[in-house]
Amino acid sequence: MRVRGIYATALSHLFLKNGCKIVQPSGVIANRLNISFDNSPPDVTVKDAEDDSILVMGKPCEAMSVFHLLSKSLKFVFRKASRVELNSVYLGRVEKVLPGTCVIDVGEFKGVLRDCKGLFINDKVIVGVSKPSWSGEEPVELTREFKLLGDYVSLIHGSPRIDFSEHIRDKELKNRLSAIALSKLLGSGLGVKFRSSARFAGPGDVGVEIEALLNEYKRLVEVAKSVENPGKVRTGEFVGLISLTSIAKKILDHERRSVTPTVPGHHELKSMGFGDELDLVEELVGNGCDMDIVGNGFREWICSKISGVKRFRILHYSPVKGARELTPGFLKHFKLVDGKACIVLERVFRSKGIYDGLGIERLPGDKDLLIIKEGSYVVSHNYFRNGNWLGSYININTPPEIAPGIVKYHDLVVDIVVKPGEKPVLIDLNQLSQLNIRGVVSEQLYFLAEKVADLVIKNHQAYVCENYRELDKCLI
């Protein structure tokens, strides 16, 4: 498999321990892990994705196995897998023709095709899956520009052009590969995209693969003419996403620490843009400086930066709604409690609405005092109007990641609502249970959320801030 991104060292070490083979390693990874260079095409690629996630993509059986290995090893994660294989190819039948779109029955499911020119009900059409589909609620997007994936190239029906992976930059190599493609595909009406592994292809490998894919394409078209029932005619790629909580990142820190100096919180800070600072600090350790001294100094520097920033972005990762950025908060109070950073952010609302869970109208000028404690499994929203406490919404989450100007955490769905003069109310436990049954939320996170919610219910006053003017007491 091929591993890329800011988690590459930790993940590569994890994969090697579990008997996987790493191909196309970077020079840094090869040296750290003492592995030889093997530029074979990968069966699976693992790399960074948006929203603090790891993307797993590749041949279905192998990639699914890697996806489950990561889920098992990192434990405290959100996860989702596309219900269809990306770039799989189907023989479909037109079921409906609507303005600007068609509904296509491909046997296993019904998808949406945007390019319906010349198609009528009951027509047969060969289509490919153009995008991952993460849930049954969203339609599967189909395309007539279907691809036949190889190790070095993708042969493309309906797009007679030559494209290159972003990783192929050498002009001379591009010219050489283009010449091969033109010699093999001239007059076929097909296009080709050279995959990143084409950089390492041996003499003749690319030409041989293009010929093999071209012959397969011709057979596929002929078979489609005689087959009546819709169905899959070519396998595509498994696509899965694993969202990394702060707990999972600490597991990755441990993996990385096995092979190279790694300060506490390495992957949290790396994901928030502190790569250069981490490189400097860890290089000092690698050159003989004491890890505790350097690590503590770096930690003090980070805390000083946190306390000096006024405006904070708040990134909220949900297994239901994905990533969203809340109304920014402004630092009202900073304190170290047992060596952990604790902050109070003030958010001022500009529009009307309803407070989630509380059922209370939100008015312009209302304020939210957001209590965030490093290491805590709770983020507490405390709502005020003219200095009077309206109620609190206690969010159960993974321990927040706090850095200068940014806070992020993974929402564990369950929440506790506290209103003046009333008992605390637990909400959304059934929703969390359903997410666990569907495999979106891991077992470990499910039981953790239950345990924390029970503790909060029994001692909710410890998580509520009722006095707008005594913020220091809210951080005890």
Side-chain angles (χ1 to χ4, degrees), residues 124-156:
K124 291 193 296 184
V125 60
I126 303 175
V127 292
V129 174
S130 59
K131 296 179 181 178
S133 178
W134 303 112
S135 71
E137 286 75 41
E138 60 178 331
V140 177
E141 293 283 343
L142 302 174
T143 178
R144 295 169 86 169
E145 292 187 5
F146 62 85
K147 298 177 181 179
L148 302 189
L149 302 181
D151 288 331
Y152 303 114
V153 303
S154 298
L155 209 60
I156 308 172

Side-chain angles (χ1 to χ4, degrees), residues 251-424:
I251 296 173
L252 288 172
D253 284 353
H254 176 74
E255 291 290 341
R256 189 179 189 275
R257 197 170 291 120
S258 301
V259 294
T260 190
T262 302
V263 299
H266 171 97
H267 287 105
E268 291 184 14
L269 292 168
K270 189 92 169 183
S271 70
M272 291 191 280
F274 287 86
D276 290 342
E277 293 84 352
L278 285 163
D279 288 345
L280 174 60
V281 169
E282 290 168 352
E283 184 177 350
L284 290 174
V285 177
N287 288 328
C289 294
D290 183 86
M291 170 64 86
D292 290 338
I293 294 174
V294 173
N296 289 337
F298 183 54
R299 167 75 180 161
E300 290 175 5
W301 179 79
I302 288 289
C303 287
S304 71
K305 292 292 183 181
I306 291 172
S307 64
V309 175
K310 293 301 180 185
R311 186 180 186 273
F312 279 74
R313 297 174 63 208
I314 305 165
L315 302 181
H316 176 109
Y317 297 105
S318 164
V320 180
K321 299 179 180 178
R324 62 191 179 104
E325 188 163 345
L326 305 185
T327 302
F330 291 83
L331 187 66
K332 292 288 289 184
H333 196 62
F334 171 87
K335 186 177 182 180
L336 285 175
V337 179
D338 297 327
K340 297 183 181 297
C342 301
I343 59 177
V344 180
L345 301 181
E346 180 184 78
R347 302 193 304 147
V348 180
F349 297 109
R350 305 298 181 190
S351 60
K352 290 185 177 181
I354 299 293
Y355 290 115
D356 286 345
L358 293 171
I360 298 173
E361 184 181 15
R362 186 185 71 210
L363 299 178
D366 285 359
K367 296 178 180 180
D368 172 20
L369 289 185
L370 190 55
I371 313 299
I372 303 168
K373 301 179 181 181
E374 193 175 24
S376 173
Y377 289 89
V378 164
V379 166
S380 173
H381 295 265
N382 303 275
Y383 301 113
F384 293 86
R385 181 176 300 152
N386 300 321
N388 297 314
W389 178 58
L390 300 175
S392 296
Y393 191 88
I394 304 172
N395 191 88
I396 309 300
N397 48 257
T398 58
E401 301 168 49
I402 306 174
I406 185 170
V407 170
K408 56 184 178 180
Y409 54 87
H410 285 71
D411 180 12
L412 296 183
V413 182
V414 179
D415 303 291
I416 289 93
V417 174
V418 184
K419 296 168 72 171
E422 298 183 14
K423 292 182 178 180

Side-chain angles (χ1 to χ4, degrees), residues 405-453:
I406 185 170
V407 170
K408 56 184 178 180
Y409 54 87
H410 285 71
D411 180 12
L412 296 183
V413 182
V414 179
D415 303 291
I416 289 93
V417 174
V418 184
K419 296 168 72 171
E422 298 183 14
K423 292 182 178 180
V425 178
L426 175 67
I427 61 175
D428 295 333
L429 183 59
N430 287 337
Q431 185 180 27
L432 176 64
S433 178
Q434 287 301 311
L435 289 168
N436 173 238
I437 291 170
R438 287 165 45 197
V440 176
V441 173
S442 68
E443 286 282 332
Q444 290 85 351
L445 283 180
Y446 173 73
F447 289 119
L448 176 63
E450 273 195 322
K451 181 179 179 180
V452 173

Side-chain angles (χ1 to χ4, degrees), residues 53-65:
S53 293
I54 296 173
L55 174 71
V56 180
M57 185 174 181
K59 296 179 180 178
C61 182
E62 293 86 344
M64 192 178 299
S65 176

